[in-house]
Amino acid sequence: LSEGEYRLAALQPLGPGAPLYMANNDWVVSETRYMYGDWAEESLLQAERALRVAGQPRPAWLDADYYEQRVASVLGADRRAAGLELTGLAAA
């Protein structure tokens, strides 16, 4: 699995048609140079990606640049690579 394939499979373990999301992502698949050592950050990012897929906008308290780089862009790239539609995703 690529990183993107893993993130999508972990985000919606029953597939993109089922509205069931998983955010507890202790098993981040990433090169070690990108791992900051805090597994909790990846779980929180997965939770934000799930909220975005569910149509929720970026929370006002979450930095817009961080959200774009770590939530919106990553989710969009993963979904494009998997051939999934981007329609219905909340605006950043």
Side-chain angles (χ1 to χ4, degrees):
L1 287 175
S2 70
E3 288 183 42
E5 290 168 332
Y6 171 79
R7 277 190 297 267
L8 287 178
L11 180 63
Q12 288 185 276
L14 300 181
L20 176 74
Y21 303 96
M22 182 179 75
N24 186 14
N25 187 3
D26 293 349
W27 321 281
V28 63
V29 173
S30 159
E31 294 182 35
T32 56
R33 64 184 168 160
Y34 297 115
M35 182 65 174
Y36 302 111
D38 191 358
W39 61 266
E41 180 182 14
E42 189 60 32
S43 290
L44 293 170
L45 287 167
Q46 278 291 84
E48 286 301 331
R49 291 176 191 130
L51 290 169
R52 183 171 170 84
V53 170
Q56 296 299 311
R58 174 185 62 84
W61 54 265
L62 189 55
D63 180 77
D65 290 336
Y66 180 86
Y67 183 87
E68 180 58 36
Q69 292 173 6
R70 303 296 307 267
V71 176
S73 292
V74 169
L75 181 60
D78 290 350
R79 289 177 66 91
R80 276 190 298 279
L84 297 172
E85 300 261 341
L86 297 178
T87 57
L89 296 180

